[in-house]
Amino acid sequence: MTRVLIIPPPGVGELVMCQSLVASLQLREPGTVVDILVEAPLAALARRLPGVAEPVALDTGKADLLAEMRAGRPLRARGYDLAIVADEGWRAAATALSASIPLRRGY
């Protein structure tokens, strides 16, 4: 079973557009567990997206690089195999890197 973390750009529209990515991942490899990293206010919406196992709420506000790196560390225990970084900002990349996810794709 593959565990995937999707890191979408911030915003409601971007989160909803990630639903097609979730569906594609599960179609390609049935049984894939897909979690999605969202800011706390969007967790309820992410929970309603079909195919999302669990929304992971992360709220670092307007953080610096060290805060982003610290925020990603608790994700290590979840054992993700792949991170798909759909956000082009450095914050998303720093979070995926600090989570020690072996495969990181995207920006």
Side-chain angles (χ1 to χ4, degrees):
M1 174 174 56
T2 303
R3 292 187 56 88
V4 178
L5 178 67
I6 297 175
I7 305 176
V12 174
E14 291 84 354
L15 178 60
V16 171
M17 287 192 299
C18 281
Q19 183 179 351
S20 62
L21 176 58
V22 173
S24 295
L25 287 168
Q26 292 181 335
L27 184 63
R28 183 174 180 176
E29 189 176 336
T32 298
V33 176
V34 180
D35 293 344
I36 193 159
L37 186 70
V38 294
E39 294 180 357
L42 296 177
L45 175 61
R47 191 171 289 112
R48 297 179 190 278
L49 293 178
V52 172
E54 181 180 356
V56 179
L58 181 68
D59 197 8
T60 58
K62 301 292 181 194
D64 59 9
L65 178 60
L66 291 177
E68 289 295 329
M69 297 295 281
R70 282 192 298 272
R73 287 185 193 142
L75 299 174
R76 292 178 186 172
R78 294 176 176 259
Y80 293 112
D81 303 299
L82 170 66
I84 299 176
V85 182
D87 186 356
E88 62 186 20
W90 63 266
R91 295 175 66 182
T95 302
L97 178 65
S98 66
S100 297
I101 300 171
L103 294 173
R104 295 180 297 274
R105 299 291 182 257
Y107 291 98

